Structures are given as C-alpha cells and as structure tokens.
Amino acid sequence: MEHDLSPSALAELRRPRPYPAVSVLTPTHRRDPLSTEDAVRLRTMVAEAKKRLESDPAVPRDRRADVAAQLDRALAEVDLAHAEDGLAIFAAPGEHQVWSLARSVPERVVLSDTFLTRNLVSAQTAERPFWVLSVAADRASLWSGGPDRVVEERAGGFPLIREEPNFDPERQMRAGDQPSNYRDEDTRRFLKEAATALTSLVRAHPRPLYVTGEPAALSLLCEFGGACKDAVQVPRGGLAHGTPEMVWQAVQPVLEEQDRKRAEEVARELESARSRKEFAAGVDELWQSAREGRIRLLAVEENYRITVRDDGEHLVVAEDDDLDAREDIVDEIVEQCLETGADVRFVPDGALGDAQGMAAVLRY
C-alpha cells in the first residue's frame, strides 16, 4: 500500500486515463485491525464498483474484464493489519494502486477518466508528514514522521553506514575523543554524503525536516548547506542507532511547540482579516471563494467534517443519506485552495471558535 503522496505521484494520479478510471474509497480503523468490519465493507465497495462497470454501456466488454481484474489484484494487496483511517483503491485498464490515508474518507465509488485524488491531498495536508535525519559519525538514519509516530524510512540510500576497518566510534567516545572525531576528514566526508543524499530526497519528496545528533554533527550539516541548512535542529545524540520510539520522544516536544505557535499565528491572521473585511467562514461562502481562487489562507480544525448538498444556488447542510449528499466537501475545499496556491493549515479542534470548523483569509 502506498502512503507518500509526492508531487510526482500526485501528477501521475491526476493524469487522464482511458475510461473508466475507477476510484473506490472506504473508511478503515487503525485501532482495531483484527475487526472484520473493514474487510466486509471493502469487499462490498469493490463489488459495487464491479456492478457499476457491468451496468455502464460506455465500457466495452474487454475493458470491463481488465478493470475488474485490476480491482481484484488491488483488493489482494490490501493489508488491513496496517490500516490507517481511510483507504483508496484506483483501477484503470492495465493498472491499479492502493493508498492508505491518515484521514477518514466517505464510502464512494466513482467512474471517470481521472482518479479521485482530493481525499489523498487533504489527508496528506492534514497529516503534515515530516522527515527526521539522525546522524552519528558512523551512521545516518532517516525517519518518516506523522501525527503520532515515526518509522524508519529506507529510501534515497538511507540508512547510510560508514564501514572502515579501523573506525571504532565507541572506543573514541570512551576515550573522550568525540569532538575531534567530527573534525576528522573522513567523518566530514561521510556527513557531507548524508547531507547531499537528504537534499536530493527532500527535493523529490518535500516535507519539513528535523535533524538530530551531537551539536558538532549538526554544526557540520548546517555548514554543508542544502536541505539541512534550513532544518530544525534537535541536539540529541544516539538516535542514529535508536528506535522509532526514542526518535519520537525526542521530536515530539518540538512538534508540539511548533503546532502551538502555528495555531496562535493563524488566530492572529484571522482576527486581522476580520478588521480588514477579508475574513470568510461557513462552508457555502468558503466553497464559492475557493472556486474563485480568492482564498489566501484556509484554516481547518483537525477533525472537522460536514455533509452538504447543492440546492442549485448554495450548499446546505444535509444528512449523510440525502440524495446527492457530498460528505467530503471539506476535502474538496482543501484541494481547491491548494490548487490555487492558498496556504492550508490544520489547527486543533475548537481553535476557530464561532467560525465553526473552517475559516479563511481572502486575497480580495
């Protein structure tokens, strides 16, 4: 299952396909992976997709069989033991993909000439993924972080391991020689290699970056420039050989402090926008402003969801089972804002007060 929605991956997903490009969305439950509920729901949604294929006269028989087979292959690749909060299956002639999302999605089957990506974009934005590079004189480890955990990432050449016959970092530490170790030319070369590899990876998969290590190592990384120069430094050694839990405990306080500052900054910007009459709130007004490209900053509470329907002139609140109900309107607004270059920020629930879940600063 795929997790990392890089710009290149998103561009590929948005590429037009021969009809039908099938998107199957379903919520999942990360906290109860042994439950049969998710498996039953997923099989039901795939069966619904096949039924839609069968009843669509615009789909030739050979193409229908091809896409149905792709759906079966995608279903076989789903690993619900590692489920998050949502799942997206994409199938088209000759291809299929399975994406795990850290944000719930509505049950939905869509046949079109492109895949439905807005829920992926919203989930990626809400999750605020980040990278952590942990360095020591003999190892550089890369970690992929999310809202509540980090996992080691084996990509871009990481982990980098320095293997030299006479190199013994433990002996040097026991001898009190650690500072001079980071002045060693071979160590400098090793860390420069790590900084270069990381810069290439962040260029292809941009995320906020944190680096951990001894102060001498962090100083060298900053000196080498690239992605490391603008990274947030966490002066904590030993994590290059550490566990995910150790890395998470080290970066969590830094993340929480940054979240607090961001929420305060958003509150100030919204209050200033009110005084300038550049403030917008309410799902109908925000949807209209998003489509017109008028939103400069969109603030969304972490778990805000609302179901609406279009009455022809406005969006009105609706029940989930209403005809033409749009359960993912928040995700639609988020993706539309991102498409027009707006800054989208997720804040803690309740942070927006009377704005009721979502508010914006307008460009004009």
Side-chain angles (χ1 to χ4, degrees), residues 155-172:
F158 291 99
L160 292 177
I161 301 172
R162 179 182 175 187
E163 296 179 354
E164 297 184 16
N166 298 319
F167 180 67
D168 183 358
E170 291 186 2
R171 181 195 62 77
Q172 292 182 336

Side-chain angles (χ1 to χ4, degrees), residues 10 13 17 50 55 93 99 102 131 158 171 229 237 251 347 353:
L10 180 58
L13 283 173
R17 263 77 177 175
K50 291 181 178 179
S55 61
W99 286 80
W131 297 119
F158 291 99
R171 181 195 62 77
K229 183 177 181 181
V251 300
V347 298

Side-chain angles (χ1 to χ4, degrees), residues 167-311:
F167 180 67
D168 183 358
E170 291 186 2
R171 181 195 62 77
Q172 292 182 336
M173 290 179 69
R174 287 194 301 270
D177 196 28
Q178 188 73 356
S180 62
N181 182 43
Y182 284 106
R183 292 194 295 269
D184 175 79
E185 188 57 37
D186 288 337
T187 303
R188 290 175 60 88
R189 189 180 301 113
F190 173 72
L191 292 181
K192 185 174 183 179
E193 179 186 354
T196 301
L198 185 68
T199 298
S200 297
L201 183 137
V202 172
R203 187 179 297 119
H205 304 275
R207 299 183 184 181
L209 173 64
Y210 301 82
V211 292
T212 79
E214 299 291 340
L218 298 183
S219 178
L220 272 180
L221 287 174
C222 185
E223 177 185 324
F224 295 139
C228 293
K229 183 177 181 181
D230 298 320
V232 177
Q233 297 189 3
V234 182
R236 166 88 176 270
L239 299 180
H241 296 274
T243 64
E245 180 61 23
M246 291 169 61
V247 176
W248 174 249
Q249 291 298 326
V251 300
Q252 185 181 14
V254 180
L255 295 170
E256 290 176 347
E257 177 62 16
Q258 289 193 317
D259 284 345
R260 184 187 65 78
K261 290 180 178 178
R262 275 193 292 261
E264 291 176 351
E265 181 184 351
V266 167
R268 287 193 298 270
E269 291 201 45
L270 290 172
E271 189 60 33
S272 177
R274 284 182 189 269
S275 65
R276 300 192 308 269
K277 301 189 183 305
E278 296 175 355
F279 175 87
V283 66
D284 185 50
E285 183 180 2
L286 291 171
W287 174 232
Q288 295 289 344
S289 298
R291 289 193 297 176
E292 294 167 1
R294 296 176 59 209
I295 294 180
R296 178 174 66 80
L297 166 67
L298 179 72
V300 186
E301 292 184 356
E302 297 281 3
N303 296 299
Y304 179 60
R305 314 291 293 181
I306 187 171
T307 300
V308 300
R309 60 179 173 80
D310 192 339
D311 70 357

Side-chain angles (χ1 to χ4, degrees), residues 136-168:
D138 63 330
R139 183 182 175 95
S141 299
L142 181 68
W143 311 86
S144 176
D148 55 6
R149 68 198 185 284
V150 298
V151 295
E152 186 168 7
E153 184 81 10
R154 295 183 177 273
F158 291 99
L160 292 177
I161 301 172
R162 179 182 175 187
E163 296 179 354
E164 297 184 16
N166 298 319
F167 180 67
D168 183 358

